[in-house]
Amino acid sequence: MVNKSDNNMKVIIHFFTLMLSAFTVLSGCIEKTGYYDAGQKKRIEQLTNKKWERDYRSTYYGYDVHEIWRFGDNGKGSWRTITTYMDGGIRDTTTHFSWAFTTPQFNVIYMDYPRYWLIDKIDDNKLCIYLTNEDPVSVSGQERIYQEYTFKPEEEKEKRVVSQNTPK
């Protein structure tokens, strides 16, 4: 005969195990302060709270795409795509995600939909990455797609708009 208190204890243990697992997974995406060395802090500052942008043309389908990636210092981010089709139609889509660095060097980013970025180069205005579908450290031989993104400070954008609107 099964003791009811044993069953209740098992349920409680499973519940706490599930809650601890969920907390661990969710808190792993959140950036914390005070635990990083100088190189890690610099990488966080270079990556976060900016709009990383790129434009490309899909030669196969014949449309233009403008991407905007934002990485918050809280482990949350967004990916906005503005697609302009040959017929003039425009589709504007935003996807939200959680992200985290997966290596001590902070050179691999995991996004939870799932996607990985292996950072090839980053400075204050340029971000070069290899996009992979699986962890690029543990899964070798997978397809890697090279992409370059730029950050243009708001003052630069305002100058371009003014110069484009100024008659010559």
Side-chain angles (χ1 to χ4, degrees), residues 76-91:
K76 303 292 181 193
S78 66
W79 170 34
R80 182 177 178 196
T81 57
I82 304 166
T83 306
T84 305
Y85 297 94
M86 292 176 65
D87 65 2
I90 296 176
R91 181 176 179 194

Side-chain angles (χ1 to χ4, degrees), residues 28-143:
C29 295
I30 298 172
E31 293 294 335
K32 296 173 180 62
T33 58
Y35 298 100
Y36 303 117
D37 65 33
Q40 293 170 332
K41 286 179 186 176
K42 182 177 180 183
R43 180 61 52 99
I44 292 169
E45 290 170 5
Q46 288 174 321
L47 179 70
T48 61
N49 302 316
K50 295 181 176 181
K51 289 181 2 181
W52 292 102
E53 301 181 52
R54 84 175 180 123
D55 294 300
Y56 67 93
R57 173 173 282 262
S58 171
T59 53
Y60 183 77
Y61 293 107
Y63 52 73
D64 296 319
V65 179
H66 179 75
E67 289 185 330
I68 303 168
W69 290 82
R70 294 179 186 201
F71 295 88
D73 57 9
N74 63 353
K76 303 292 181 193
S78 66
W79 170 34
R80 182 177 178 196
T81 57
I82 304 166
T83 306
T84 305
Y85 297 94
M86 292 176 65
D87 65 2
I90 296 176
R91 181 176 179 194
D92 190 337
T93 306
T94 301
T95 303
H96 297 276
F97 57 89
S98 295
W99 70 274
F101 291 107
T102 63
T103 60
Q105 302 81 10
F106 284 17
N107 62 345
V108 176
I109 301 169
Y110 169 72
M111 292 168 256
D112 67 353
Y113 56 89
R115 176 177 294 213
Y116 291 86
W117 279 10
L118 173 60
I119 298 174
D120 181 53
K121 176 186 173 189
I122 187 170
D123 60 32
D124 291 337
N125 299 311
K126 191 168 191 175
L127 172 62
C128 304
I129 60 102
Y130 288 97
L131 167 69
T132 62
N133 291 322
E134 297 180 71
D135 184 353
V137 175
S138 63
V139 180
S140 62
Q142 65 178 305
E143 179 182 15

